[in-house]
Amino acid sequence: VVFDEGFDMNIHYIGPSIVYGMNLGKKWRWDLDLGLGYANYRENVQGYYGLTYYDLTESQSRLGFITQMGIEYKVAENLAIGFQLNGLIIRLKKPEGYNVDKYDFYGIKRIDTQLGLRIYL
């Protein structure tokens, strides 16, 4: 996502996770994490509207759900290459005047991927 200049967004999550990992033979490993914890969403918008300067900040702290699933392949005894899929869901408080069905989701659903190396000591 590309934002205009003057827009800053931060999402923080901290909480415990249940982790399950399984070796799939000598070279492959699969992992799954599920967590429920504290999530904070903050955005700040600064800029000019005509000749008027504005600086608006919104922040909410809510319950967040995180999930991660990955697979890795050991290329050597102490080195593996892996791929991971991450998901984060935070339900935010609906703003006043938001007139949609009460069962409509309002919040953040984020999915991202990672590719990297793991070193086993």
Side-chain angles (χ1 to χ4, degrees), residues 39-42 58-62 91-93 106:
N40 178 268
Y41 170 77
R42 182 181 179 278
E58 172 71 23
S59 179
Q60 290 189 38
S61 296
R62 310 289 281 195
R91 183 179 293 270
L92 299 174
K93 183 178 158 189
Y106 182 84

Side-chain angles (χ1 to χ4, degrees), residues 43-69:
E43 68 180 41
N44 179 261
V45 181
Q46 298 175 344
Y48 285 93
Y49 184 73
L51 297 176
T52 306
Y53 178 77
Y54 60 89
D55 186 356
L56 305 170
T57 300
E58 172 71 23
S59 179
Q60 290 189 38
S61 296
R62 310 289 281 195
L63 190 64
F65 173 74
I66 193 167
T67 183
Q68 300 173 332
M69 183 173 62

Side-chain angles (χ1 to χ4, degrees), residues 26-27 72-81 116-121:
K26 289 185 173 186
K27 297 281 187 178
E72 66 182 43
Y73 178 77
K74 282 190 171 184
V75 293
E77 185 178 338
N78 295 341
L79 183 66
I81 185 167
L117 296 174
R118 178 174 289 176
I119 299 172
Y120 291 93
L121 301 176

Side-chain angles (χ1 to χ4, degrees), residues 11 66-70 83-89 108-115:
I11 300 172
I66 193 167
T67 183
Q68 300 173 332
M69 183 173 62
F83 174 79
Q84 184 167 297
L85 184 64
N86 306 308
L88 173 67
I89 298 175
I108 297 169
K109 293 180 182 177
R110 178 188 165 123
I111 295 176
D112 63 84
T113 58
Q114 292 178 318
L115 182 64

